[in-house]
Amino acid sequence: MSRSFDALLFDMDGLMLDTERISNETWRRAGAELGIEIKEEMLDAMVGLSFKDCVDFVAEYLDDAEAADRLQLGSDKHYQHILRHEPIPLKTGILELLRWAEQQGIPRAVATSTQRFKADLKLTRSGLDAFFDITVAGDEVPRAKPAPDVYHAAASRLGVAPQRCLVLEDSRLGLQAGVAAGARVILVPDLLTPSAEDRASALAVCGDLHQALELIRAL
């Protein structure tokens, strides 16, 4: 039976790696050190943003570019320490999904908003690098999600038309990027509950990656 897709494109943080909670905690730690209140609405609005877009957003949110820079430096210090010295937790079901895709010989790539050096560090330390020959990082494309650039680049490097790709995402910005690229998107929400608009845009919304795998198998 032929499949209705030719490749799988994966987001990384919040989709394959349970790192969004870690990121939020590092912003809270930096805020506590600097005496700056970190509100949940600010953290929620940053989900899926690139590194640069996060800093720009915080500067606008706080109306203080200097405070945003200090927060970012503090958060990044804590984040890199965790990435280098503590286990990087996997999302439930990701290994089963990747092993199945590998056994089926399905081309796959990572398409992340994260900077290259952090993406490589996370993929290597988590062991997920073994499943991917192709990865595209957020600082390697002109525009960050929700623009489609990172997904266009990943599909191109696989030699597959975006319309023949399935994208797996956890965030609204990632969903928008995948749809803008012309791909079908399976949304596996992490920290935020998808809106009715998000649900309408996605091919499906799955509770976890086990559900996503069952859906992909059926396609």
CSV table of all heavy atoms in Angstrom, one decimal, residues 118-147:
chain,number,residue,atom,x,y,z
A,118,LYS,N,23.1,24.8,19.7
A,118,LYS,CA,22.2,24.2,20.7
A,118,LYS,C,21.5,23.0,20.2
A,118,LYS,O,21.3,22.0,20.9
A,118,LYS,CB,21.2,25.3,21.2
A,118,LYS,CG,21.9,26.4,22.1
A,118,LYS,CD,20.8,27.3,22.6
A,118,LYS,CE,21.4,28.5,23.4
A,118,LYS,NZ,20.4,29.5,23.8
A,119,ALA,N,21.0,23.1,18.9
A,119,ALA,CA,20.3,22.0,18.3
A,119,ALA,C,21.3,20.7,18.3
A,119,ALA,O,20.8,19.6,18.6
A,119,ALA,CB,19.9,22.3,16.9
A,120,ASP,N,22.5,20.9,17.9
A,120,ASP,CA,23.4,19.8,17.8
A,120,ASP,C,23.7,19.2,19.2
A,120,ASP,O,23.8,18.0,19.3
A,120,ASP,CB,24.8,20.3,17.2
A,120,ASP,CG,24.6,20.5,15.7
A,120,ASP,OD1,23.6,20.0,15.1
A,120,ASP,OD2,25.6,21.1,15.1
A,121,LEU,N,23.8,20.1,20.1
A,121,LEU,CA,24.1,19.7,21.5
A,121,LEU,C,22.9,18.8,22.1
A,121,LEU,O,23.1,17.7,22.6
A,121,LEU,CB,24.4,20.9,22.4
A,121,LEU,CG,24.6,20.6,23.9
A,121,LEU,CD1,25.9,19.7,24.1
A,121,LEU,CD2,24.8,21.9,24.7
A,122,LYS,N,21.7,19.3,21.8
A,122,LYS,CA,20.5,18.6,22.3
A,122,LYS,C,20.4,17.3,21.6
A,122,LYS,O,20.1,16.2,22.3
A,122,LYS,CB,19.3,19.5,22.1
A,122,LYS,CG,19.2,20.7,22.9
A,122,LYS,CD,18.0,21.5,22.6
A,122,LYS,CE,17.9,22.8,23.3
A,122,LYS,NZ,16.7,23.6,23.0
A,123,LEU,N,20.5,17.3,20.3
A,123,LEU,CA,20.3,16.0,19.6
A,123,LEU,C,21.4,15.0,19.9
A,123,LEU,O,21.1,13.8,20.1
A,123,LEU,CB,20.3,16.3,18.1
A,123,LEU,CG,19.1,17.1,17.6
A,123,LEU,CD1,19.3,17.5,16.1
A,123,LEU,CD2,17.8,16.2,17.6
A,124,THR,N,22.6,15.4,20.1
A,124,THR,CA,23.7,14.5,20.4
A,124,THR,C,23.5,14.0,21.9
A,124,THR,O,23.6,12.7,22.1
A,124,THR,CB,25.1,15.2,20.3
A,124,THR,OG1,25.2,15.7,19.0
A,124,THR,CG2,26.2,14.3,20.7
A,125,ARG,N,23.3,14.8,22.8
A,125,ARG,CA,23.2,14.4,24.2
A,125,ARG,C,21.9,13.5,24.5
A,125,ARG,O,22.0,12.7,25.3
A,125,ARG,CB,23.2,15.6,25.2
A,125,ARG,CG,24.6,16.3,25.2
A,125,ARG,CD,24.9,16.9,26.6
A,125,ARG,NE,24.9,16.0,27.6
A,125,ARG,CZ,24.1,16.0,28.7
A,125,ARG,NH1,23.2,16.9,28.8
A,125,ARG,NH2,24.2,15.1,29.6
A,126,SER,N,20.9,13.8,23.7
A,126,SER,CA,19.7,13.0,23.9
A,126,SER,C,19.7,11.7,23.1
A,126,SER,O,18.9,10.8,23.3
A,126,SER,CB,18.5,13.8,23.4
A,126,SER,OG,18.5,14.0,22.0
A,127,GLY,N,20.7,11.6,22.2
A,127,GLY,CA,20.8,10.4,21.4
A,127,GLY,C,19.9,10.4,20.1
A,127,GLY,O,20.0,9.4,19.3
A,128,LEU,N,19.2,11.4,19.9
A,128,LEU,CA,18.3,11.5,18.7
A,128,LEU,C,19.0,11.8,17.4
A,128,LEU,O,18.5,11.6,16.3
A,128,LEU,CB,17.2,12.5,18.9
A,128,LEU,CG,16.2,12.3,20.1
A,128,LEU,CD1,15.1,13.3,20.0
A,128,LEU,CD2,15.6,10.9,20.0
A,129,ASP,N,20.3,12.2,17.5
A,129,ASP,CA,21.0,12.5,16.3
A,129,ASP,C,21.2,11.2,15.5
A,129,ASP,O,21.4,11.3,14.3
A,129,ASP,CB,22.4,13.1,16.7
A,129,ASP,CG,23.2,12.1,17.5
A,129,ASP,OD1,22.7,11.4,18.4
A,129,ASP,OD2,24.5,12.1,17.3
A,130,ALA,N,21.1,10.0,16.1
A,130,ALA,CA,21.3,8.8,15.4
A,130,ALA,C,20.2,8.6,14.3
A,130,ALA,O,20.4,7.8,13.4
A,130,ALA,CB,21.3,7.6,16.4
A,131,PHE,N,19.1,9.2,14.5
A,131,PHE,CA,17.9,9.0,13.6
A,131,PHE,C,17.8,10.0,12.5
A,131,PHE,O,17.0,9.9,11.6
A,131,PHE,CB,16.6,9.1,14.4
A,131,PHE,CG,16.4,8.0,15.4
A,131,PHE,CD1,16.8,8.2,16.7
A,131,PHE,CD2,16.0,6.8,15.0
A,131,PHE,CE1,16.7,7.2,17.7
A,131,PHE,CE2,15.8,5.8,16.0
A,131,PHE,CZ,16.2,6.0,17.3
A,132,PHE,N,18.8,11.0,12.4
A,132,PHE,CA,18.7,12.1,11.5
A,132,PHE,C,20.0,12.4,10.8
A,132,PHE,O,21.0,12.6,11.4
A,132,PHE,CB,18.2,13.4,12.1
A,132,PHE,CG,16.8,13.3,12.7
A,132,PHE,CD1,16.6,13.1,14.1
A,132,PHE,CD2,15.7,13.4,11.9
A,132,PHE,CE1,15.4,13.0,14.6
A,132,PHE,CE2,14.4,13.4,12.5
A,132,PHE,CZ,14.3,13.1,13.9
A,133,ASP,N,19.9,12.4,9.4
A,133,ASP,CA,21.1,12.8,8.7
A,133,ASP,C,20.9,14.3,8.3
A,133,ASP,O,21.9,15.0,8.0
A,133,ASP,CB,21.3,12.0,7.4
A,133,ASP,CG,21.7,10.6,7.7
A,133,ASP,OD1,22.4,10.3,8.6
A,133,ASP,OD2,21.2,9.7,7.0
A,134,ILE,N,19.7,14.8,8.3
A,134,ILE,CA,19.4,16.1,7.9
A,134,ILE,C,18.8,16.9,9.0
A,134,ILE,O,17.8,16.5,9.6
A,134,ILE,CB,18.4,16.2,6.7
A,134,ILE,CG1,18.9,15.4,5.5
A,134,ILE,CG2,18.0,17.6,6.3
A,134,ILE,CD1,20.2,16.0,4.9
A,135,THR,N,19.4,18.0,9.4
A,135,THR,CA,18.8,18.9,10.4
A,135,THR,C,19.0,20.4,9.9
A,135,THR,O,20.0,20.7,9.3
A,135,THR,CB,19.5,18.8,11.7
A,135,THR,OG1,20.9,19.2,11.6
A,135,THR,CG2,19.4,17.4,12.3
A,136,VAL,N,18.0,21.2,10.1
A,136,VAL,CA,18.0,22.6,9.7
A,136,VAL,C,17.7,23.4,10.9
A,136,VAL,O,16.7,23.1,11.6
A,136,VAL,CB,17.0,22.9,8.6
A,136,VAL,CG1,17.1,24.4,8.2
A,136,VAL,CG2,17.2,22.1,7.3
A,137,ALA,N,18.6,24.3,11.3
A,137,ALA,CA,18.4,25.1,12.5
A,137,ALA,C,17.9,26.5,12.2
A,137,ALA,O,18.0,27.0,11.0
A,137,ALA,CB,19.8,25.3,13.2
A,138,GLY,N,17.4,27.2,13.2
A,138,GLY,CA,16.7,28.5,13.1
A,138,GLY,C,17.6,29.6,12.6
A,138,GLY,O,17.2,30.5,12.0
A,139,ASP,N,18.9,29.5,12.9
A,139,ASP,CA,19.9,30.5,12.5
A,139,ASP,C,20.4,30.2,11.1
A,139,ASP,O,21.4,30.9,10.7
A,139,ASP,CB,21.0,30.7,13.5
A,139,ASP,CG,21.7,29.5,13.9
A,139,ASP,OD1,21.3,28.4,13.4
A,139,ASP,OD2,22.7,29.6,14.6
A,140,GLU,N,19.9,29.3,10.4
A,140,GLU,CA,20.4,28.9,9.0
A,140,GLU,C,19.4,29.3,7.9
A,140,GLU,O,19.6,29.0,6.8
A,140,GLU,CB,20.7,27.4,9.0
A,140,GLU,CG,21.8,27.0,9.9
A,140,GLU,CD,22.0,25.5,10.0
A,140,GLU,OE1,21.0,24.8,9.7
A,140,GLU,OE2,23.1,25.1,10.3
A,141,VAL,N,18.3,29.9,8.3
A,141,VAL,CA,17.3,30.3,7.3
A,141,VAL,C,17.0,31.8,7.5
A,141,VAL,O,17.2,32.4,8.6
A,141,VAL,CB,16.0,29.5,7.5
A,141,VAL,CG1,16.2,28.1,7.1
A,141,VAL,CG2,15.4,29.6,8.9
A,142,PRO,N,16.5,32.5,6.5
A,142,PRO,CA,16.3,33.9,6.6
A,142,PRO,C,15.2,34.3,7.6
A,142,PRO,O,15.4,35.3,8.3
A,142,PRO,CB,15.9,34.3,5.1
A,142,PRO,CG,16.4,33.3,4.2
A,142,PRO,CD,16.3,32.0,5.1
A,143,ARG,N,14.1,33.6,7.6
A,143,ARG,CA,13.0,34.0,8.5
A,143,ARG,C,12.7,32.8,9.4
A,143,ARG,O,12.7,31.6,9.0
A,143,ARG,CB,11.8,34.3,7.6
A,143,ARG,CG,12.0,35.5,6.7
A,143,ARG,CD,10.8,35.7,5.8
A,143,ARG,NE,10.5,34.5,5.0
A,143,ARG,CZ,9.4,34.3,4.3
A,143,ARG,NH1,8.5,35.2,4.3
A,143,ARG,NH2,9.3,33.3,3.5
A,144,ALA,N,12.3,33.1,10.6
A,144,ALA,CA,12.0,32.1,11.6
A,144,ALA,C,10.5,31.8,11.5
A,144,ALA,O,9.7,32.4,10.8
A,144,ALA,CB,12.2,32.7,13.0
A,145,LYS,N,10.1,30.7,12.1
A,145,LYS,CA,8.7,30.3,12.2
A,145,LYS,C,7.9,31.5,12.8
A,145,LYS,O,8.4,32.1,13.7
A,145,LYS,CB,8.5,29.1,13.1
A,145,LYS,CG,9.2,27.8,12.6
A,145,LYS,CD,9.1,26.7,13.6
A,145,LYS,CE,9.9,25.4,13.2
A,145,LYS,NZ,9.8,24.3,14.1
A,146,PRO,N,6.8,31.9,12.3
A,146,PRO,CA,5.8,31.1,11.5
A,146,PRO,C,6.1,31.1,10.0
A,146,PRO,O,5.3,30.6,9.2
A,146,PRO,CB,4.5,31.7,11.8
A,146,PRO,CG,4.8,33.1,12.1
A,146,PRO,CD,6.1,33.1,12.8
A,147,ALA,N,7.2,31.8,9.5
A,147,ALA,CA,7.5,31.7,8.1
A,147,ALA,C,7.9,30.3,7.8
A,147,ALA,O,8.3,29.5,8.6
A,147,ALA,CB,8.7,32.6,7.8
